[in-house]
Amino acid sequence: MDIRLLRPSDIPLIQHANLENLPENYFLKYYLYHALSWPQLSYVAVDVSRPKKTPYDYPKIVGYVLAKMEEEPTDGVQHGHITSLSVMRTHRRLGIAEKLMRQSQQAMVETFNAQYVSLHVRVSNVAALHLYRDTLGFQTEKTEAKYYADGEDAYCMKLDLGFIKDQIEEEADGEAKDEGEAVGDVGSDPAEKKKRDAAEKEKKRKVKVGRGLGVGELVERVETKKE
Ligand code: ACO
């Protein structure tokens, strides 16, 4: 099984999976809007073990997560949103949905500095509620009455993504330590080291990104200043 980023060419298969698995269905252009606006956030699970009948056979997509960033967050906090998630019946309880969700959450933090992720789920959807609440740690924010077209209520759920940010920082710290102290004449001089650190700091400045998409937030980028 491969978990990889969604490509625009996967969209017909995802739409098919969505129609099979959920009553909430979307026009093709809505999938395309996700794939083109936030190409880092949506993933598919591909059954690569499936025998190909012809060399042109497309590997079977057995699950997907369709995700986005909230363009104009009402609370002013940068956050992601899970639009749709499903796994084909034949491939359930194998941990695929959990993996898809974790991949998307990681990308929300790494790419867009998301503070949390939100979603809506039917109050009767036992399997999804177990996944969100018990496996992934989502919390119910509120119940939205008659959220769905058939009149069913939705739980509005949220997961704070601070723990992913902490993991990323810890890994970065670990890598920095692994590099160890510089060796040789240059590295051994504390005054030289101070100078290099100051020069490195000078190279970093804050830049605004993604304003056009409504996902603007200050992120740190290494930008070499023009002399
Ligand atoms: N009953 C109880 N708990 C379940 C069930 C179930 N049938 N299925 C999954 N879980 C929970 C369990 O806690 C499980 O952990 P465990 O196996 O260690 O006990 C955990 O979820 C992880 O399970 P996965 O194997 O990763 O889940 P799966 O790949 O089977 O997909 C999903 C779960 C997506 C809910 C699937 O059942 C499905 O596609 N259902 C129909 C579509 C759907 O309801 N999608 C969610 C709608 S909400 C939205 O899209 C935002």
Side-chain angles (χ1 to χ4, degrees):
M1 192 70 56
D2 262 4
I3 305 276
R4 63 157 172 78
L5 277 170
L6 175 150
R7 301 173 192 142
S9 57
D10 298 325
I11 288 174
L13 288 168
I14 289 177
Q15 191 177 33
H16 168 74
N18 169 263
L19 285 162
E20 285 278 311
N21 295 324
L22 280 166
E24 286 70 55
N25 312 125
Y26 315 97
F27 289 117
L28 218 76
K29 64 182 177 190
Y30 195 54
Y31 294 92
L32 203 56
Y33 163 64
H34 281 73
L36 297 181
S37 306
W38 303 277
Q40 307 88 347
L41 303 186
S42 295
Y43 286 82
V44 290
V46 184
D47 185 355
V48 284
S49 68
R50 181 172 176 251
K52 282 188 174 183
K53 288 181 192 123
T54 75
Y56 306 106
D57 248 11
Y58 201 82
K60 196 180 179 197
I61 287 183
V62 295
Y64 69 85
V65 60
L66 192 68
K68 64 184 195 116
M69 291 302 293
E70 208 57 77
E71 290 190 89
E72 284 165 7
T74 47
D75 56 4
V77 181
Q78 182 82 332
H79 68 274
H81 184 78
I82 301 296
T83 301
S84 184
L85 165 80
S86 81
V87 173
M88 299 303 264
R89 278 179 197 283
T90 46
H91 288 72
R92 289 188 189 163
R93 292 314 283 264
L94 297 172
I96 293 175
E98 183 188 345
K99 281 213 170 64
L100 289 165
M101 286 291 292
R102 290 196 192 278
Q103 283 285 139
S104 184
Q105 289 167 189
Q106 179 90 16
M108 284 173 186
V109 176
E110 282 178 355
T111 317
F112 296 106
N113 196 22
Q115 306 297 304
Y116 68 89
V117 54
S118 66
L119 56 80
H120 288 99
V121 58
R122 285 177 181 267
V123 294
S124 66
N125 194 339
V126 177
L129 277 169
H130 271 284
L131 167 71
Y132 298 140
R133 208 172 33 206
D134 306 333
T135 306
L136 296 168
F138 276 77
Q139 287 184 336
T140 304
E141 273 283 290
K142 57 181 177 187
T143 307
E144 287 195 27
K146 299 190 185 348
Y147 177 82
Y148 294 99
D150 60 7
E152 185 168 346
D153 298 349
Y155 286 133
C156 180
M157 303 189 93
K158 232 168 132 170
L159 174 68
D160 194 306
L161 297 177
F163 72 99
I164 297 183
K165 212 180 233 180
D166 294 345
Q167 279 167 11
I168 293 170
E169 276 166 12
E170 269 169 35
E171 277 167 26
D173 283 352
E175 273 168 27
K177 273 187 196 137
D178 282 352
E179 281 174 16
E181 281 300 307
V183 288
D185 285 348
V186 181
S188 60
D189 184 352
E192 275 295 328
K193 189 174 182 305
K194 225 177 178 181
K195 247 192 215 170
R196 280 203 310 280
D197 287 350
E200 193 59 36
K201 250 190 197 159
E202 184 66 8
K203 278 187 196 169
K204 284 189 177 181
R205 67 183 175 89
K206 298 212 166 187
V207 293
K208 287 177 182 177
V209 295
R211 278 274 167 225
L213 289 174
V215 293
E217 190 50 279
L218 287 174
V219 296
E220 203 158 49
R221 285 265 185 86
V222 177
E223 298 265 321
T224 312
K225 270 190 179 170
K226 282 194 182 124
E227 296 300 321

